[in-house]
Amino acid sequence: MTLIRRDLLERGFSLGALTLLTGCDLSDSNAVQSVLAKFSAWNDRVQAALFSPDRLAPTFPESDAVKDFRYNAWYGREQAPSLDAADYRLLLSGRIADKRPWTVEQLHALPQETQITRHVCVEGWSMIGKWTGTPLRIFLQRVGADLTARYVGFECADGYYEGIDMPTALHPQTLMAFKLADEILPREHGYPFKLRIPTKLGFKNPKFVTTIYVTDKEPRGYWPDRGYNWFSGS
Amino acid sequence: MSEPGVQTHAVAVRIGHWVMAFAILVMIGSGWRIYNAEPILPFRFPDWATLGGDVEAALARHGDPGVATALAWHFAGMWLLLASYLLLILWGVFSGHFRRDFLPVGPRSFLRDFLAAARFRLPHRLGEYNAVQRAFYWAVLTAIAVMIVSGIAIWKPVQTYPLELLFGGFQGARIVHFVAMCGIVLFLCVHLALVALVPSTLRAMVFGRSGHAVAATRMVEKTQ
């Protein structure tokens, strides 16, 4: 190998670094996307292994809880669906014994508890809120869901959809939240209820839930379908 | 490890260095894009300097400012960074590379070499690290460790709680992660400027050896 060729090689290295820095096209190539997807699937497994069903998310004093909780969605606050308690029915499907739909009144009659936990958004911001509702675990037991199934999925009135692993669904802090800051859940935050899962990133907390299903097939997720990590635990 | 005037790098160091160089560029580029989604200071990094695909296309597709791909890069790059970091640290400790080349480094020798360098009177001797270089390598290795630990605290604030308290909470961990990034970028600028000044160091990091030990160079040329 001659010294000239060495020099060329060395310049090649710096060129490679430059291309990487301006790597717009690189990121959009199918080959790169497929490698990144493989890493993301690997990270799903790592996170499932890291997840401890007994470890509680930190809770905070009431003084830390924010009253005016940040609104976040891909559409504006005024476009958030407005669900009417008179018409609303929560539908159940999949591996659930009792699939009768639930009214808001029936949901509110379930045993409830309150938690002050932190919502961590995938964008990087975080906010502490006071949430009141029914542990999803209690609801799933009540309707005779197959708790040996692998996943629980959610469909929402705004076209959103998400899904979580069964260990997270059974986690004691995973709530069907009916209240925020002691008030009935405001419309834009997901009335009649949203999933409040402090062991997941914010986008794994679906609002306006209209269907809950239990399945062994990994449920799709709105943002995971758009390239975000599926497990997204915190 | 080297004879005077000759710079050599073990294969482990070279692999660790280049994997880490790639990983760090990925982490910085994607990190800047992730930062842009929720800046902690009143500025954003220009899109061209960030990693994560075409912003306009992602925005048009589903209102996502290309953060999904940036996060995917970041959480793939972290494994490369961790692997190369462990390789370099373990090799540095167990081969004696750290003890031989990066120690000792004291405040007095640092000050002496720093003042000399500031007046452009610090000659570069291939195969030898002056006190400023030594201090810089320790500093960047520390910054990367801080980066990894604060990154884990941000990635898994619940599962690793109370790790974030080490940084003053979740937001504190984000700030520390940002500051450590600035330190690493600063190191990169100085590092690349010095490589530009003494290009033979780059040859050693690519091919394992460079320098002016004449006999040795001839031998290498002949065998190739």
Side-chain angles (χ1 to χ4, degrees), chain B residues 1 10 13 89-100:
Chain B
M1 157 172 227
V13 171
I89 293 288
L90 291 175
W91 174 265
V93 169
F94 290 108
S95 73
H97 167 49
F98 282 172
R99 186 175 33 80
R100 218 168 27 235

Side-chain angles (χ1 to χ4, degrees), chain B residues 5 11 48 60 79 102 121 155 167 173 190 192 223:
Chain B
V11 177
W48 59 261
W79 294 108
F102 291 170
R121 279 189 194 153
W155 185 46
F167 308 102
V190 176
L192 292 178
T223 54

Side-chain angles (χ1 to χ4, degrees), chain B residues 177-199:
Chain B
H177 204 62
F178 182 86
V179 171
M181 176 278 293
C182 295
I184 291 169
V185 170
L186 192 70
F187 170 87
L188 266 184
C189 293
V190 176
H191 187 64
L192 292 178
L194 290 177
V195 170
L197 283 175
V198 192

Side-chain angles (χ1 to χ4, degrees), chain A residues 27-28 43 47 118 228 233, chain B residues 53-54 64 73 75 79 156 164:
Chain A
S27 287
D28 292 325
N43 282 332
Q47 293 177 91
R118 184 175 56 197
Y228 287 84
Chain B
D54 188 56
D64 170 48
W73 272 113
F75 293 140
W79 294 108
K156 291 284 155 275
E164 65 176 45

Side-chain angles (χ1 to χ4, degrees), chain A residues 89-155:
Chain A
R89 294 292 181 277
L90 172 64
L91 305 179
L92 305 177
S93 76
R95 293 168 63 168
I96 291 176
D98 181 358
K99 293 200 179 74
R100 278 178 295 177
W102 286 62
T103 64
V104 173
E105 199 182 344
Q106 287 170 315
L107 288 171
H108 282 173
L110 286 163
Q112 297 187 20
E113 48 191 71
T114 295
Q115 60 172 234
I116 299 169
T117 51
R118 184 175 56 197
H119 172 115
V120 173
C121 179
V122 68
E123 294 166 357
W125 57 272
S126 63
M127 198 169 265
I128 293 165
K130 182 184 184 188
W131 310 92
T132 303
T134 302
L136 182 61
R137 177 214 288 261
I138 289 180
F139 180 79
L140 290 176
Q141 284 166 344
R142 187 86 45 120
V143 297
D146 178 1
L147 303 184
T148 66
R150 297 182 60 194
Y151 305 102
V152 180
F154 311 97
E155 301 282 335

Side-chain angles (χ1 to χ4, degrees), chain B residues 146-169:
Chain B
V146 169
M147 211 65 192
I148 292 171
V149 178
S150 60
I152 290 171
I154 297 166
W155 185 46
K156 291 284 155 275
V158 171
Q159 303 307 324
T160 65
Y161 196 85
L163 180 64
E164 65 176 45
L165 297 183
L166 204 64
F167 308 102

